[in-house]
Amino acid sequence: MSSNWVVHKFGGSSLADAGCFRRVAEIVRAQHEGMQAVVLSACRGVTDALYEILNLAERQDTSPEPRLTEVRDRLIGIAQEVLKPGAAAAYIAEIKSDCREILGILQTVRLIRSAGRNIRDLVAGYGEIWSTRLFAALLRDSRPDGVAWLDARQVLIVQWGPLGPAVQWEESRRRLNEKLPELEGKTVVITGFIATDTQGLQTILGRNGSDYS
């Protein structure tokens, strides 16, 4: 396995709309040397919106569904603009399925009037899943077999303590090394922000955690 990796990191402002997605894709495609990894944040404003949706569910005074629909439709609009019809349809089916799962979670939050850390981490992490899936599909338009999507929850293990999440480096490296052979020669699009804790539950690295990813 080559160690000549180029790692790109793009924040939410770089993924604000369809034009931004195209510009980031151009930057990545222009890099021809070595292996490439691309770590992405959620699209601008999406993580804040997901936290807002959870807060609405806790308060019970306003339905969170319209706000979730607004976020979903924004991403669907970007997908329809930058992806070919088949790829866009597949992406839309995935995000609609995710939103149905989120609505089920929100129903529980409304009943108990509380979203614990595990629930908040789970819902907030969808932003990075959505942005990276979309970007990977965009890159595949020109390199159908040359792009891999890597869910960081499969490899990045953290343990929560008084100072927040601490990366379990030995286990994380072991899991990543197991994945590397199937990523050889591909541009790897990776979710920022999200990880798995030592209990096997999805967690996050905290606000701005994608920069640490």
Side-chain angles (χ1 to χ4, degrees):
M1 171 63 65
S2 169
S3 60
N4 186 25
W5 281 84
V6 175
V7 181
H8 306 269
K9 166 61 177 63
F10 296 98
S13 296
S14 300
L15 304 167
D17 55 31
C20 290
F21 267 84
R22 290 193 182 101
R23 283 192 290 274
V24 171
E26 289 172 2
I27 292 170
V28 173
R29 286 168 177 157
Q31 175 68 46
H32 300 294
E33 298 295 328
M35 304 279 291
Q36 289 193 88
V38 186
V39 180
L40 300 181
S41 296
C43 297
R44 185 176 65 190
V46 168
T47 301
D48 286 338
L50 291 171
Y51 280 124
E52 177 189 345
I53 288 163
L54 285 163
N55 293 338
L56 289 172
E58 286 182 318
R59 291 203 303 267
Q60 295 186 323
D61 55 353
T62 305
S63 171
E65 186 169 357
R67 187 72 173 103
L68 180 61
T69 299
E70 180 184 335
V71 173
R72 183 200 69 188
D73 289 350
R74 175 188 166 198
L75 287 161
I76 286 175
I78 295 173
Q80 290 173 327
E81 192 168 343
V82 303
L83 300 180
K84 294 177 181 177
Y91 178 80
I92 291 168
E94 287 182 326
I95 195 170
K96 285 184 175 181
S97 175
D98 291 341
C99 286
R100 287 192 293 271
E101 291 185 6
I102 292 173
L103 284 174
I105 294 169
L106 295 176
Q107 290 177 358
T108 300
V109 172
R110 285 175 64 84
L111 284 172
I112 64 177
R113 302 186 182 186
S114 177
R117 195 195 78 201
N118 289 342
I119 290 177
R120 299 184 77 82
D121 289 358
L122 177 62
V123 173
Y126 274 102
E128 274 71 13
I129 293 170
W130 294 336
S131 65
T132 52
R133 281 179 180 164
L134 200 163
F135 188 70
L138 175 57
L139 290 183
R140 287 192 188 106
D141 280 349
S142 58
R143 292 186 64 198
D145 299 318
V147 178
W149 180 70
L150 179 60
D151 185 340
R153 294 172 296 183
Q154 297 177 352
V155 298
L156 185 57
I157 308 301
V158 302
Q159 183 170 20
W160 277 84
L163 299 179
V167 175
Q168 304 302 288
W169 290 108
E170 183 175 349
E171 177 62 14
S172 297
R173 288 192 181 100
R174 184 189 68 78
R175 293 188 180 210
L176 180 58
N177 285 334
E178 289 180 351
K179 286 283 184 183
L180 286 178
E182 65 191 69
L183 306 176
E184 181 74 47
K186 297 184 178 181
T187 296
V188 185
V189 181
I190 308 170
T191 53
F193 190 55
I194 58 176
T196 296
D197 69 17
T198 52
Q199 305 302 312
L201 300 175
Q202 177 179 317
T203 189
I204 60 173
L205 300 177
R207 295 310 300 260
N208 300 314
S210 287
D211 291 336
Y212 187 61
S213 296

